[in-house]
């Protein structure tokens, strides 16, 4: 074949070398956006490769978001990512809202769910979840069957305290990539990150206490706080740099009895922001000085575009002041509610609370997941998932740039599956939500991400599903709705 | 063959007819305790049956507790159950302890666990659990594998709210046997009965509130209350008739702000008692009149000797004042933490709390268990399990009668897997516990079953495991320890 053989690509399969050849051509502008790719048949002839190699190369380029198939016309070079949008506006760190005595986020969420159920949804952009098809369902199924055969009495033997040793061992090893170095004995397996955050809050605070949270914040956390009778103090959070440490410092002057701060330092929901290392270090120091517990929710950390995991806040912790919580729900298997935590200096209390609340997790899922996460198949799955999320995110972002009215603000995160869109005018997200719903499109209105009403002109759009013509159409419709509402 | 053929036995397999023939002889005293059974070879000759039929008949009689094998000597008729013991003493319903502000049951249980871990245990009589071998591990494993194959994307699809419809349907159908008639939509699947009781308590009460509980009471409930910051008011409970409704009525005069009563009406832990129907009806009325929620824990109800389920308290409930909680942990699979509840008039609040605390349960275990519990295999399993528990309970009770000092008091329940033994003198259960532990025998000291110190001269012994010569030896040793401590 004719593509250049340099030493770095020499080990790669033929189809990858062929794909790289065309990638370079696209990067260099030799093939410009909207240009037609050579047909598969032509690739076969030109490069003297098999039909299957030519097809694989095209699929690789398509997966990488460089070309797209048009029905009955072949492959075309995709338009360059041209997201020339205003960056998201920065919050004023001096403007602190009062801690919300507001109780009603459950009602608001219930109302949202009830409304959604009244309409047939054809395109769901509301769920912070990726398509089931993006996860290794079959491999996990096989691991599960192997676990059942290998340990035939697993379903009738009592579960081990704190979680199965196999899984705790694998999690400890994987945590090294996050800059952490936990002892497997320090790890507690939970029913998802949700249970972990519940246990962490119950360990460090009591009903009536005030907890600092990011603003905007995942409504699920507001629901947890409401259900525990705790109050949320919303701390301004930058779409670029995450939780404002300055704002938290200010808040401590007026709220000296703050018990804890719950923070999603990596690919925050809904902002998608990652706290810079310097801010992470500052947050650690500030909270140590004021004896405030940090509850870190690292649900999305592993979903970074460049396969280089952003370090956990916990990796700066030297005093046990950080309770680290994570989940396999978004990264590995949405149908298995598995999470884990390390409790820092609250370890014993958290262990007691877990036992009293739900007893140790069953062994089966843990053993199967330990096998899968201990293998390189897991790494390959993550690489694929990250690539898919990146492509989908860019598609949706491009559509926002194309169809939303001028003045729309947006940062495109480099990981996760969420976009937080600021509408430019007086549009109400509740109104947009209802109009979109009537057209079969589900989105999450900004009002759900705060106890106060400060995000009514925002929308959260999920990029978890494969981009389809139907989704493109939905994005155009959504743009029309937002424009008309302005 | 020669055994009588009456119409009722005509449908039974040959070995069962043969076993029944000898059962009648034993019942009639033709074969007296300690008499040698005819040898297997003799059975073959006398009744002209195969060796395998003769062996099966003997095993059946052994399973039924009528004969026992002695090594190298053949089968002998077992001594008649001769449990001529003092009945358990009744509590004084007028003697109400103060609600315990005592916080420390976790420390007490941790201390118990730590001590246990320092010793090698050869016989464990401390665990309120039956042997894994008593459960249908293999059938559940097969159901699990079928579920995985039938629903290949189950591990990556999001779980359904409130639990899988298949399981909720089967549970609703099975609940008919308990006198209940729940709509499948009213059922909420939980992580075991423990999570259900947590949710129920959180739904009806707040930290600082006082909750009435039985006395003696399962220490796990005291742990839950302590972890939720609630206080336990221990209500005298009869070993014969369960929770004293009179005592509760009295308690309401001095504690008008009681929020709820948690009750195990069927085969209570540790007493093994069942509330008579009249008392169940009285309790329902009393709590309705005083607007006190009833939280019913029916973990053991299905484990009744005579296959006639004692009705749930919930079956008297007409106003939604009873929150019913149950588990598959003791009846079906100790390695699967599955439970369920119906929330009565707190249904919506409980649904919200479950969502905020741990999200819906994963589908896989639910689908597999639904298949098994929907089949007659489940009924057959229960019949077997009940028979085993009965035989084991009687063995242990006989040993107590034989080896424990005179004046020992004991009721032998007609279900469940627990015996609550009152020692006659000044024996301390803590001391007996430690001495037994040093000999490799684990028991649960009475001190664990109350926040106060009123059960120090009681022991809870579990009859969940098959009776072995080693266990017989352990019971004799335990008897010696108790006698010496007197």
């Amino acid at each position: 074949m004719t593509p250049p053989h340099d030493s770095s690509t020499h080990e790669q399969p033929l189809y990858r070398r062929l794909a790289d050849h065309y990638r370079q051509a696209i990067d260099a502008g030799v093939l410009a956006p909207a240009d037609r790719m050579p047909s598969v048949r032509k690739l076969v002839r030109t490069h003297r490769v098999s039909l299957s190699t030519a097809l694989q190369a095209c699929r690789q380029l398509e997966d990488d978001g460089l070309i797209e198939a048009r029905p009955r016309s072949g492959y075309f070079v995709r338009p360059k990512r041209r997201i020339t949008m205003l960056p998201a506006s920065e919050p004023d760190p001096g403007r602190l809202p009062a801690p919300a005595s507001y109780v009603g986020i459950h009602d608001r969420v219930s109302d949202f769910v009830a409304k959604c159920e009244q309409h047939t949804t054809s395109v769901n952009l509301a769920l912070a979840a990726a398509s089931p098809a993006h996860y290794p369902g079959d491999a996990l199924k096989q691991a599960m069957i192997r676990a059942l055969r290998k340990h035939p009495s697993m379903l009738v033997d009592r579960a081990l305290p704190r979680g199965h040793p196999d899984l705790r061992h694998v999690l400890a090893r994987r945590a090294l990539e996050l800059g952490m170095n936990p002892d497997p004995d320090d790890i507690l397996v939970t029913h998802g990150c949700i249970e972990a955050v519940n246990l962490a809050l119950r360990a460090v605070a009591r009903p009536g206490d005030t907890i600092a949270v990011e603003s905007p914040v995942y409504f699920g956390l507001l629901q947890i706080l409401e259900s525990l009778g705790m109050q949320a103090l919303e701390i301004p959070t930058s779409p670029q740099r995450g939780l404002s440490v300055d704002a938290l410092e200010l808040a401590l002057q007026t709220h000296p009895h703050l018990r804890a701060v719950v923070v999603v330092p990596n690919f925050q929901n809904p902002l998608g922001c990652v706290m810079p290392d310097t801010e992470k270090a500052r947050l650690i120091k500030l909270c140590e000085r004021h004896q405030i517990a940090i509850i870190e929710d690292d649900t999305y950390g592993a979903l970074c575009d460049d396969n280089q995991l952003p370090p956990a806040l916990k990796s700066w912790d030297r005093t046990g002041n950080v309770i680290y919580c994570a989940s396999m729900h978004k990264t590995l298997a949405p149908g298995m509610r598995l999470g884990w935590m390390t409790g820092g200096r609250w370890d014993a209390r958290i262990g007691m609370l877990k036992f009293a609340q739900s007893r140790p997790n069953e062994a089966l899922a843990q053993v199967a997941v330990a096998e899968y996460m201990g293998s390189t198949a897991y790494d390959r799955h993550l690489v694929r998932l990250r690539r898919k999320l990146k492509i989908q995110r860019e598609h949706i972002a491009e559509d926002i740039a194309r169809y939303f009215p001028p003045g729309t603000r947006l940062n495109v995160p480099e990981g996760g599956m969420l976009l937080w869109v600021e509408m430019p005018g007086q549009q109400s997200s509740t109104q947009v939500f209802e109009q979109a719903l009537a057209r079969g499109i589900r989105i999450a209105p900004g009002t759900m991400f705060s106890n106060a009403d400060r995000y009514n002109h925002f929308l959260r759009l999920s990029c978890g599903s494969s981009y389809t013509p139907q989704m493109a159409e939905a994005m155009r419709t959504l743009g029309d709705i937002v424009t008309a509402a302005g």
Side-chain angles (χ1 to χ4, degrees), chain A:
Chain A
M1 66 168 279
T2 41
H5 297 242
D6 70 50
S7 61
S8 73
T9 58
H10 207 76
E11 305 297 316
Q12 292 190 331
L14 194 52
Y15 81 90
R16 279 210 180 249
R17 278 185 277 154
L18 186 58
D20 281 348
H21 180 62
Y22 281 94
R23 186 194 317 276
Q24 285 161 19
I26 292 168
D27 285 349
V30 174
L31 282 171
D35 275 0
R36 186 195 294 265
M37 264 288 283
S39 70
V40 172
R41 188 179 300 183
K42 183 149 186 219
L43 292 175
V44 168
R45 274 203 310 266
T46 312
H47 302 290
R48 288 176 225 144
V49 295
S50 70
L51 182 65
S52 121
T53 299
L55 272 170
Q56 268 186 294
C58 289
R59 278 199 210 104
Q60 178 70 51
L61 290 167
E62 194 181 14
D63 273 1
D64 292 347
L66 294 170
I67 63 173
E68 62 193 0
R70 295 193 194 149
R72 281 179 297 274
S73 319
Y75 284 103
F76 289 79
V77 178
R78 286 189 53 215
K80 272 244 187 290
R81 185 181 151 180
R82 45 151 201 86
I83 308 168
T84 52
M85 299 196 68
L86 294 171
S89 44
E90 288 291 322
D92 174 358
R95 253 188 78 229
L96 274 185
S101 58
Y102 177 88
V103 219
I105 192 76
H106 278 110
D107 292 343
R108 210 183 283 188
V109 173
S110 302
D111 184 52
F112 168 81
V113 172
K115 277 184 181 151
C116 286
E117 282 170 357
Q118 284 163 18
H119 293 83
T120 316
T121 306
S122 52
V123 174
N124 191 343
L125 300 165
L127 217 54
S131 297
H134 290 3
Y135 295 96
D138 196 60
L140 286 169
K141 185 185 87 180
Q142 297 304 338
M144 205 67 118
I145 292 175
R146 273 193 298 276
L148 283 163
R149 295 213 164 116
K150 192 169 166 194
H151 311 278
S153 69
M154 187 185 275
L155 299 174
V156 293
D157 285 337
R158 292 166 67 85
L160 298 168
R162 298 188 70 96
H164 198 282
D166 287 3
L167 181 58
R168 289 192 282 140
H169 188 83
V170 168
L171 289 171
R173 190 153 58 74
R174 291 273 173 195
L176 296 172
E177 300 170 46
L178 306 166
M180 296 164 59
N181 193 5
D183 189 309
D185 289 347
D186 294 339
I187 287 176
L188 179 70
V189 177
T190 59
H191 293 297
C193 191
I194 291 289
E195 186 181 49
V197 171
N198 268 272
L199 295 171
L201 283 166
R202 290 182 61 198
V204 303
R206 290 156 180 273
D209 282 345
T210 300
I211 308 294
V213 302
E214 295 148 328
S215 184
V217 62
Y218 169 48
F219 54 87
L221 177 59
L222 296 177
Q223 288 179 298
I224 292 173
L225 289 171
E226 182 178 323
S227 74
L228 293 173
M230 297 175 189
Q231 306 212 359
L233 177 65
E234 297 182 23
I235 306 293
T237 299
S238 155
Q240 296 275 9
R241 302 165 61 82
L243 183 89
S244 163
V245 180
D246 291 331
L248 180 62
E249 197 159 10
L250 206 66
L252 282 166
Q253 294 169 13
T254 41
H255 298 87
H257 298 303
L258 222 49
R259 288 282 167 196
V261 52
V262 183
V263 59
V264 184
N266 301 322
F267 309 115
Q268 197 256 9
N269 176 0
L271 291 172
C273 53
V274 174
M275 286 180 80
D277 288 358
T278 49
E279 291 301 288
K280 284 176 176 166
R282 278 184 69 208
L283 180 61
I284 292 278
K285 282 223 175 94
L286 178 69
C287 290
E288 274 172 10
R289 202 164 62 236
H290 289 269
Q291 295 265 323
I292 291 169
I294 296 178
I295 299 171
E296 173 176 23
D297 172 351
D298 199 19
T299 297
Y300 296 95
L303 302 179
C304 50
D305 289 352
D306 61 1
N307 298 326
Q308 189 78 37
L309 297 185
L313 253 180
K314 180 76 187 169
S315 64
W316 275 268
D317 180 27
R318 297 289 167 269
T319 62
N321 197 44
V322 177
I323 302 175
Y324 179 86
C325 307
S327 168
M328 286 74 120
H329 194 64
K330 311 276 183 189
T331 48
L332 179 64
M336 298 168 77
R337 194 150 277 286
L338 265 185
W340 63 282
M341 67 195 300
T342 64
R345 56 194 174 90
W346 295 273
D347 176 71
R349 182 160 164 77
I350 287 173
M352 175 278 277
L353 288 170
K354 165 69 174 157
F355 185 82
Q357 179 168 298
S358 66
R359 298 284 187 272
N361 278 45
E362 303 86 341
L364 174 60
Q366 298 184 65
V367 172
V369 165
E371 186 207 296
Y372 188 80
M373 285 186 72
S375 73
T376 53
Y378 178 62
D379 298 282
R380 290 195 300 275
H381 153 66
L382 280 180
V383 169
R384 276 193 305 270
L385 177 61
R386 289 163 185 160
R387 199 174 58 208
K388 281 180 184 151
L389 293 178
K390 179 176 196 283
I391 293 170
Q392 293 162 194
R393 196 186 318 115
E394 288 177 358
H395 270 298
I396 302 282
E398 283 165 22
D399 285 347
I400 294 169
R402 191 175 301 146
Y403 301 126
F404 276 46
T408 299
R409 287 170 173 269
L410 175 71
N411 281 3
V412 185
E414 297 184 343
M417 51 182 81
L418 303 170
L419 287 175
W420 182 243
V421 190
E422 182 174 357
M423 297 182 288
Q426 292 311 305
Q427 293 95 336
S428 143
S429 66
T430 324
Q431 204 184 319
V432 170
F433 160 71
E434 286 179 7
Q435 289 179 7
L437 206 54
R439 310 280 292 270
I441 305 162
R442 210 183 275 194
I443 58 162
T447 43
M448 292 173 76
F449 298 88
S450 163
N451 271 334
D453 252 341
R454 71 182 72 89
Y455 302 109
N456 195 21
H457 58 300
F458 287 83
L459 309 175
R460 190 193 71 181
L461 301 182
S462 164
C463 322
S465 298
S466 295
Y467 189 79
T468 58
Q470 198 186 18
M471 203 179 287
E473 192 49 43
M475 285 304 297
R476 179 198 294 267
T477 305
L478 196 57
D480 290 347
I481 292 170
V482 173
T483 306

